[in-house]
Amino acid sequence: MPSARPTGRAGPPGRHNAGHHHRSTAYRPLCATQVRQQRFGRCRSGLDPAEVDGYLRRIADELAALHAELDRTREENARIKGALRDWQSRFGPRVVRG
């Protein structure tokens, strides 16, 4: 089964863009449903399935909470940007072009 883990970087090795992440347009962030539905093969000396399932549920719950918080943050960001644009259009300096 292919790894669902992103590499974290795209592009030529050795190139860094200070603090910015660049991903392929085909990249899709891992979602809670994917974690909940992930199954692993079993082997005789493998891991305890109950422990793996419990840990995957915990990860999925935390991932769902993070995605919800990210959505709230994006909405708040859009609201603040709109309010700033409104304020700037009312009180910002007028530029005279000549």
Side-chain angles (χ1 to χ4, degrees):
M1 181 177 298
S3 172
R5 214 176 329 157
T7 62
R9 281 184 40 206
R15 285 188 70 195
H16 296 280
N17 193 356
H20 299 285
H21 300 278
H22 297 283
R23 293 189 175 121
S24 162
T25 56
Y27 173 82
R28 296 285 184 255
L30 188 62
C31 68
T33 303
Q34 289 172 299
V35 174
R36 286 187 181 102
Q37 293 176 347
Q38 179 65 49
R39 296 295 171 251
F40 299 92
R42 302 192 188 224
C43 65
R44 222 164 130 192
S45 60
L47 302 172
D48 179 356
E51 286 184 29
V52 172
D53 290 343
Y55 193 70
L56 287 175
R57 278 192 299 277
R58 178 180 171 193
I59 291 170
D61 291 345
E62 290 186 22
L63 191 57
L66 288 170
H67 280 291
E69 181 63 25
L70 182 58
D71 288 342
R72 285 189 296 272
T73 301
R74 286 178 174 150
E75 289 169 6
E76 178 72 0
N77 189 31
R79 186 191 66 75
I80 290 170
K81 284 181 178 181
L84 177 59
R85 279 191 299 273
D86 182 52
W87 184 91
Q88 287 173 329
S89 68
R90 282 198 248 159
F91 304 108
R94 302 288 182 223
V95 177
V96 179
R97 298 181 189 234

